[in-house]
Amino acid sequence: MIKLVILLTFISCYSAFSQVKNIDFTTEEYLQDYDFIVELIKNQHPNPFRFISEEQFEKEAHVLREGLKKEPTLANFLLSNPLTLIRDTHSDLNVDDLVFDAFVKEINFFPLETIVYDQRVFVNQFASDIPLGAEIITVNTKKVTDMLAKIPAKVDGDIQGSTQKKFSLYASLLFPKAEVFTIQYKESVKGSLKSVQLKAVNYTKYDYNSNKTILPFDLLSYRLGISGYLVNKDTYLISIRSFDLSEAYAYSILNNLFTSIKDQKVKHIIVDIRDNQGGSLSNIPLFYSFISTEKSFSNIYKYATKVPKINVKANLLDENGKLANANDILSQDNFMQQRFDKNEEDGFYYGNNRLDEYYVENYPQDKNAFTGDVALLINNNTVSAASYFASLFQLNARGALVGQETRSCSGFTTAAWFVNYKLPYTESIVSLPRSEIFFNIAANKDKNCRGVLPQYTVTADEFQKGLQKVQDAEMDLALRLLKK
């Protein structure tokens, strides 16, 4: 349901190439690519002006364009991405691999791995010159609060989510030629302001740092998609990092986990879907069926779009990454025409029965379902189909919701199928969803949205103290709640 790439996280996908690509693009080339992105937003996105009026979009896009015109660099091109204005977490801009390869050789990188929590930035690695968990206050005299404000929010609607911001990466983009980073920090809120100067690092060292973080702890689930273990004699943790798994694989793993839970007479379960980027929507009821207390539960969602056809044909890519031809475009149009029907009352095209053959509205509880106490961990990186899982959990009042607001709306999001375009000059790839998905029957016409909101959160101070002790403060909170 969601591609496992978000704006600028191409850093994690770096690989070496034998070819070298020129990245000395002209001002006009940057501007033409920028204008093409704007055209795509206006003519191909399924509902671009849900959260921003077209007039306001034009004003803000013009400001970004003028900034790019004054500073025509690849870093600023990425920072000026107009896709962020429509506040759709599924719309992406991804740099061409060869361009990225050349780019990382030309810039310097921030020398520390960090984590953002509630608009504050903390050191997320052991380092010799600055303590783990120290709060960064300024970088090269710039206030961290101002830097965070410049990082585009990759969220749906009005969702408040700073944890998804990649501060170390953006610090690198904001200071691409810095030889030294002067960092002011505090070890605690009431601590004194200290300063340290650290040399910038190359990409190899930056990548090494990103793989040596303290949080998150459970890396096994990131590799497997699902993992579980006994936290204590009464509590079992199930970490789900992706719903983009085959039904057969997911059921096999879940069945084994919940059989073990039953055999060990577990009293409490913590389900952790923090940093879950989503996956197949049809998988969500399968996962939820293992914790449902009801014999069956409502599983209602509907696909809808205002743009069922390929309106922008130039630079469209086929499924193999080649430029699409007329037959490719006709095939895409036919696919949508056969599976979406127009509703004259609201102007939306709704998915029909041909669209999702696995759709089951009244979904049965699994035979191994756990009906005891459950807590669900969510955060600003709980996205897309994962937000639907959190929404089901909340709707059925299944247990305590702990953590942060999800990055996708609680009632709807975009996703499903995507169209990809290659920009003519930078060759970056623009990815747009083809439809919205509503977690009810009718299209939601709200001009704002919030994610699934937790009932219990930890403060930034508590988060910092946990990090300094190499502990997961949100997990600890969930454990305390289940003991009550």
Side-chain angles (χ1 to χ4, degrees):
M1 180 174 164
I2 181 174
K3 293 172 64 181
L4 298 181
V5 287
I6 63 175
L7 175 65
L8 295 179
T9 55
F10 52 78
I11 288 292
S12 63
C13 302
Y14 173 80
S15 59
F17 293 89
S18 58
Q19 296 174 274
V20 177
K21 180 162 286 193
N22 174 44
I23 60 170
D24 294 327
F25 304 111
T26 67
T27 300
E28 188 59 30
E29 287 170 340
Y30 279 124
L31 293 177
Q32 287 195 39
D33 275 7
Y34 181 93
D35 292 340
F36 187 73
I37 298 174
V38 171
E39 179 189 352
L40 287 174
I41 291 169
K42 293 164 67 174
N43 297 301
Q44 196 59 64
H45 190 276
N47 194 2
F49 304 121
R50 171 184 286 282
F51 302 122
I52 185 172
S53 68
E54 186 169 3
E55 181 182 10
Q56 188 62 29
F57 172 80
E58 294 283 6
K59 288 181 181 178
E60 294 186 25
H62 177 72
V63 171
L64 288 177
R65 190 181 192 277
E66 288 300 301
L68 178 59
K69 191 175 181 180
K70 290 178 182 177
E71 188 183 343
T73 65
L74 183 59
N76 197 37
F77 176 72
L78 298 171
L79 291 169
S80 303
N81 178 11
L83 287 168
T84 62
L85 298 178
I86 61 174
R87 303 202 293 275
D88 169 24
T89 193
H90 287 91
S91 295
D92 285 321
L93 173 65
N94 299 291
V95 177
D96 173 78
D97 287 333
L98 294 177
V99 170
F100 174 70
D101 180 44
F103 178 59
V104 298
K105 292 174 182 175
E106 291 193 357
I107 72 169
N108 296 322
F109 286 85
F110 191 67
L112 295 169
E113 188 61 28
T114 57
I115 189 167
V116 183
Y117 189 91
D118 196 17
Q119 300 294 341
R120 292 165 63 183
V121 177
F122 303 102
V123 176
N124 190 26
Q125 69 173 87
F126 288 113
S128 58
D129 299 302
I130 187 169
L132 169 66
E135 180 182 359
I136 298 177
I137 307 300
T138 68
V139 174
N140 291 349
T141 72
K142 287 190 177 293
K143 293 180 179 178
V144 162
T145 50
D146 294 338
M147 294 174 68
L148 284 174
K150 289 184 178 180
I151 300 175
K154 193 71 169 56
V155 299
D156 282 342
D158 303 303
I159 290 168
Q160 303 301 307
S162 62
T163 297
Q164 50 83 30
K165 295 187 176 184
K166 308 296 181 183
F167 180 82
S168 296
L169 172 59
Y170 277 90
S172 306
L173 294 178
L174 290 169
F175 302 105
K177 299 301 180 182
E179 298 289 340
V180 174
F181 286 88
T182 301
I183 300 167
Q184 288 187 312
Y185 67 93
K186 288 183 176 182
E187 293 186 41
S188 66
V189 175
K190 296 181 180 179
S192 60
L193 193 64
K194 298 180 180 181
S195 182
V196 64
Q197 285 192 328
L198 300 178
K199 290 182 179 180
V201 298
N202 60 21
Y203 176 75
T204 301
K205 180 62 175 178
Y206 175 90
D207 182 64
Y208 175 83
N209 288 341
S210 69
N211 286 288
K212 296 296 181 181
T213 59
I214 303 304
L215 292 176
F217 291 133
D218 181 16
L219 299 182
L220 181 63
S221 62
Y222 285 84
R223 294 197 299 272
L224 301 180
I226 314 171
S227 69
Y229 60 89
L230 204 61
V231 178
N232 56 49
K233 65 183 180 66
D234 293 327
T235 310
Y236 203 91
L237 170 66
I238 298 176
S239 297
I240 307 169
R241 302 302 176 205
S242 175
F243 291 110
D244 192 22
L245 308 167
S246 73
E247 181 178 344
Y249 174 79
Y251 184 81
S252 176
I253 297 297
L254 290 169
N255 189 56
N256 289 339
L257 287 175
F258 280 87
T259 298
S260 177
I261 287 168
K262 182 180 291 185
D263 292 343
Q264 296 180 73
K265 297 180 171 55
V266 168
K267 296 179 181 178
H268 317 296
I269 287 179
I270 297 174
V271 179
D272 185 0
I273 59 169
R274 291 175 298 178
D275 300 340
N276 187 311
Q277 297 289 298
S280 174
L281 203 64
S282 60
N283 272 341
I284 300 306
L286 168 65
F287 279 75
Y288 186 78
S289 71
F290 280 89
I291 59 170
S292 175
T293 57
E294 305 295 330
K295 293 300 181 184
S296 67
F297 57 92
S298 294
N299 168 49
I300 301 175
Y301 56 87
K302 196 78 170 177
Y303 296 91
T305 183
K306 288 186 174 181
V307 185
K309 298 187 70 175
I310 297 295
N311 292 331
V312 181
K313 299 177 174 61
N315 305 311
L316 177 69
L317 299 179
D318 65 16
E319 59 185 16
N320 297 312
K322 307 286 187 182
L323 286 177
N325 57 36
N327 286 335
D328 296 322
I329 295 170
L330 180 62
S331 177
Q332 290 210 38
D333 285 345
N334 286 342
F335 176 90
M336 297 293 284
Q337 184 178 1
Q338 292 167 20
R339 291 165 176 82
F340 283 82
D341 300 323
K342 187 173 184 180
N343 184 318
E344 297 296 341
E345 293 183 6
D346 59 17
F348 278 89
Y349 292 79
Y350 287 95
N352 57 37
N353 292 336
R354 292 191 63 182
L355 191 59
D356 192 346
E357 59 184 303
Y358 300 107
Y359 181 73
V360 179
E361 188 167 313
N362 294 303
Y363 206 95
Q365 176 193 55
D366 191 83
K367 66 180 185 300
N368 278 331
F370 176 81
T371 57
D373 296 332
V374 181
L376 180 67
L377 287 170
I378 56 177
N379 71 356
N380 296 156
N381 287 316
T382 301
V383 187
S384 200
S387 289
Y388 180 48
F389 183 91
S391 179
L392 272 181
F393 189 92
Q394 183 182 59
L395 182 65
N396 289 281
R398 184 60 187 89
L401 277 158
V402 181
Q404 301 169 291
E405 182 176 9
T406 63
R407 184 145 52 96
S408 291
C409 302
S410 61
F412 60 94
T413 187
T414 57
W417 305 270
F418 290 82
V419 284
N420 297 319
Y421 291 84
K422 177 174 279 193
L423 298 181
Y425 296 103
T426 65
E427 299 188 25
S428 302
I429 305 298
V430 177
S431 181
L432 297 177
R434 297 233 49 190
S435 75
E436 294 182 289
I437 302 173
F438 302 97
F439 307 147
N440 50 55
I441 292 298
N444 187 320
K445 299 181 180 65
D446 289 346
K447 292 295 183 181
N448 51 41
C449 87
R450 295 300 299 268
V452 176
L453 296 168
Q455 300 159 294
Y456 305 94
T457 62
V458 300
T459 66
D461 290 350
E462 292 168 334
F463 179 85
Q464 180 184 26
K465 290 176 182 176
L467 177 57
Q468 289 170 331
K469 294 177 182 178
V470 194
Q471 294 176 354
D472 184 338
E474 292 174 326
M475 181 70 69
D476 291 345
L477 175 57
L479 287 167
R480 291 198 301 272
L481 290 169
L482 289 172
K483 282 184 179 180
K484 292 182 179 179

